[in-house]
Amino acid sequence: MEKEESQGWFNPSMKKKRSNRSKAASYIGVGMENLLPPEVTIDILSRLPAESVLQCKFVCKAWRSLLQDPSFPHMHLLSRLDDDHNAASASAFGRLGFIFLSWLPNSKGNKLLDKKKGYKLHYAEYDENPKQSHRTLFVRMNLHPPVNTHHIVGSCNGLICIAVNPYGGFDCDPIYICNPITRECLNLPKFNERYLRGYIMSGFGYHCSTNEYKVVRIYYLSGEPFGRVQVYTLGGGSGWRHKENISFSLLLHHDSPAVLANGALHWLDDEGKIVAFDLADEEFRLLPSPPCLLLYNEHKYWFQLRVLGGRLCVVHQNQGKSSDIWSLKKKKKNGNCDIKEPEYQFWSWSKEFSIKLKGMFVRENEPFSQLFALTKNCEVLFYNHTILSRYDLKTATLEKLLNMDKCFFLYFFEAIPHMNSFVSLKALGEEDTQIIGPAEGEE
């Protein structure tokens, strides 16, 4: 102490400050463990966003141990299930989460860029709090394994299913599933008839009654009037299972992916009918169509299936003049989270809103493109190539949120709602999962 004082290092208050810091550190280390009963602590932690939970792991050993409990991922997921206990809501804590696939052109002048870096998966959050200025927060995710072209089959409860080549051919094949939060990745068995001509339609979803995640692919061979159906159940241990063939000719277009609603995957067929595949009993059904689909014409009218506000919707665009959104609703409350044929009497289509398209083209001869989310504040989010925009239904005003071309020199490829979670592929029974790390050069 004399040495410190003689060299001018000693401050009379230092000893007291050090003592206070030691007491505070001791209080935090012990207090965090004993402040609340473990069951109360884990209940509170399960209600936090996934990003906050990751930070909580470093607070103390007791919290880290609680968060590593095998039951925590399910508790965290349950806190975000919608009213029908169907699937996790994409909107939580006043923020709407979504993922989007962007494309960096493979050529710049005469220079060919690295094809493996052509497609990137991003996560964004849109602030729905009306008292604050709206903002988007972007965090890059890594796609593994690297392939040349991608298609987002679906996002469900934090798991993302990726396929290759959305533009037709047998390359439109679900190849892997990942959870960017847990860094788990699962390679799916690839389709083994690539030498044959045809195309594949696919979908990914979850059913609450069976607590199962399933990938569905339907492949059409050239010259055959039917589709062959295969189902992969995560943790099922049986790989791709063959189901009965279907006679529906599903619409092949990357703008019309399968959408998950009410425990079923939905597609449009080439006649404008809505085809549903129930994930519980694995049966196909035709749903009643909204009046707008009676006008189905692939050249004059443009239709998309979407899930907006938790409901199955049909987006109907009429020659660039207007966009009508129809939603399927229950006529009365019941405890079921799926649709069965005897229960059609409890469901009906209604026209929710209409958007005038005049003057809203981002580029010439392109539609009011890719509507993908409806916020709690009655704002519609959509994208068109490099532009992310919102349309306020209350004020009928359009606002651009982000121009990717100016910021990152990227193009939007597709975007869907997404919410981070701790759902574990290994806990579901997939032993061959891999843990992926950040891409080279990223943290």
Side-chain angles (χ1 to χ4, degrees):
M1 187 64 68
E2 292 178 356
K3 184 178 181 181
E4 288 185 345
E5 188 173 8
S6 64
Q7 293 181 354
W9 295 347
F10 178 69
N11 185 319
S13 64
M14 283 184 64
K15 185 175 181 180
K16 185 176 181 180
K17 288 182 178 179
R18 288 173 181 172
S19 177
N20 290 339
R21 284 199 298 267
S22 298
K23 289 180 180 179
S26 176
Y27 174 78
I28 292 175
V30 177
M32 287 297 182
E33 298 179 6
N34 301 305
L35 186 62
L36 293 171
E39 60 272 16
V40 176
T41 301
I42 197 171
D43 180 68
I44 295 173
L45 295 176
S46 70
R47 301 173 189 272
L48 298 177
E51 297 81 1
S52 299
V53 173
L54 291 176
Q55 296 175 349
C56 289
K57 288 185 176 181
F58 300 99
V59 171
C60 63
K61 292 182 179 180
W63 282 18
R64 187 177 184 85
S65 177
L66 287 174
L67 296 175
Q68 290 176 339
D69 189 288
S71 65
F72 179 77
H74 187 62
M75 290 181 62
H76 187 263
L77 180 63
L78 285 178
S79 68
R80 285 150 184 79
L81 290 179
D82 61 24
D83 293 336
D84 291 327
H85 299 281
N86 187 19
S89 171
S91 180
F93 313 104
R95 293 173 293 181
L96 177 69
F98 61 95
I99 53 174
F100 67 88
L101 193 62
S102 64
W103 171 62
L104 177 65
N106 283 334
S107 62
K108 185 176 182 181
N110 295 324
K111 183 179 180 181
L112 183 66
L113 300 179
D114 186 351
K115 291 184 178 181
K116 293 181 180 180
K117 296 182 180 180
Y119 291 81
K120 294 291 183 181
L121 188 63
H122 303 260
Y123 173 73
E125 285 184 346
Y126 177 76
D127 193 343
E128 296 184 279
N129 190 345
K131 296 181 180 180
Q132 299 179 5
S133 58
H134 295 287
R135 56 194 174 94
T136 51
L137 305 175
F138 292 90
V139 178
R140 173 172 292 183
M141 291 179 178
N142 302 314
L143 283 175
H144 295 268
V147 290
N148 187 26
T149 55
H150 303 85
H151 166 54
I152 304 176
V153 177
S155 169
C156 183
N157 295 351
L159 300 179
I160 305 171
C161 183
I162 303 293
V164 202
N165 192 354
Y167 293 107
F170 278 128
D171 284 336
C172 184
D173 186 18
I175 58 171
Y176 69 98
I177 296 175
C178 66
N179 184 332
I181 292 294
T182 65
R183 291 292 183 180
E184 290 180 319
C185 176
L186 171 67
N187 293 309
L188 299 174
K190 295 183 179 180
F191 192 75
N192 59 5
E193 297 184 56
R194 294 184 179 277
Y195 59 90
L196 295 176
R197 293 185 177 181
Y199 63 92
I200 294 178
M201 305 294 291
S202 55
F204 173 59
Y206 166 82
H207 200 284
C208 60
S209 66
T210 61
N211 194 30
E212 292 178 324
Y213 296 83
K214 297 181 180 180
V215 186
V216 179
R217 67 182 177 194
I218 306 165
Y219 59 99
Y220 295 84
L221 303 181
S222 180
E224 292 185 349
F226 56 85
R228 306 187 185 198
V229 183
Q230 293 181 324
V231 178
Y232 186 100
T233 302
L234 296 187
S238 57
W240 288 102
R241 296 177 288 106
H242 292 273
K243 303 294 295 182
E244 293 184 4
N245 299 336
I246 61 169
S247 59
F248 305 112
S249 180
L250 303 183
L251 187 62
L252 177 63
H253 199 289
H254 71 283
D255 288 342
S256 299
V259 298
L260 174 66
N262 307 311
L265 294 170
H266 301 80
W267 294 267
L268 283 171
D269 74 354
D270 58 6
E271 297 179 353
K273 299 176 182 177
I274 302 176
V275 181
F277 180 78
D278 189 284
L279 292 173
D281 60 20
E282 300 185 354
E283 297 290 338
F284 282 92
R285 296 178 176 86
L286 279 178
L287 264 65
S289 298
C292 64
L293 282 180
L294 298 177
L295 304 173
Y296 180 79
N297 183 304
E298 60 179 332
H299 301 292
K300 186 177 181 180
Y301 301 99
W302 187 64
F303 296 90
Q304 282 183 318
L305 290 180
R306 288 288 184 264
V307 175
L308 303 174
R311 299 190 182 99
L312 178 66
C313 295
V314 172
V315 180
H316 168 217
Q317 294 190 22
N318 179 10
Q319 293 182 315
K321 298 178 181 178
S322 64
S323 182
D324 300 330
I325 286 78
W326 295 74
S327 70
L328 185 62
K329 295 181 178 180
K330 291 180 181 179
K331 293 180 181 178
K332 70 175 186 178
K333 286 285 185 179
N334 57 46
N336 296 322
C337 64
D338 52 4
I339 300 177
K340 303 291 185 182
E341 285 184 82
E343 297 177 353
Y344 282 162
Q345 57 182 318
F346 301 128
W347 296 78
S348 64
W349 288 94
S350 61
K351 186 176 178 181
E352 290 296 309
F353 53 88
S354 181
I355 300 174
K356 300 299 180 183
L357 300 182
K358 186 177 180 180
M360 294 188 184
F361 291 91
V362 178
R363 297 186 180 191
E364 186 177 358
N365 298 325
E366 290 181 355
F368 180 76
S369 187
Q370 310 311 318
L371 185 156
F372 70 94
L374 176 65
T375 74
K376 295 179 180 179
N377 298 318
C378 297
E379 297 169 333
V380 178
L381 301 184
F382 67 96
Y383 65 95
N384 190 313
H385 290 283
T386 64
I387 308 297
L388 176 67
S389 306
R390 74 159 176 258
Y391 180 84
D392 192 323
L393 295 173
K394 298 177 181 178
T395 61
T397 56
L398 177 70
E399 180 183 356
K400 294 181 181 179
L401 297 175
L402 180 69
N403 188 328
M404 290 290 290
D405 191 25
K406 291 183 178 180
C407 297
F408 306 104
F409 306 102
L410 299 175
Y411 291 88
F412 282 106
F413 194 61
E414 55 188 321
I416 61 174
H418 171 83
M419 189 183 68
N420 293 326
S421 80
F422 294 93
V423 173
S424 170
L425 292 168
K426 191 170 184 178
L428 291 173
E430 292 291 345
E431 296 295 333
D432 294 332
T433 60
Q434 302 174 3
I435 302 298
I436 57 178
E440 186 177 354
E442 295 181 351
E443 296 182 356

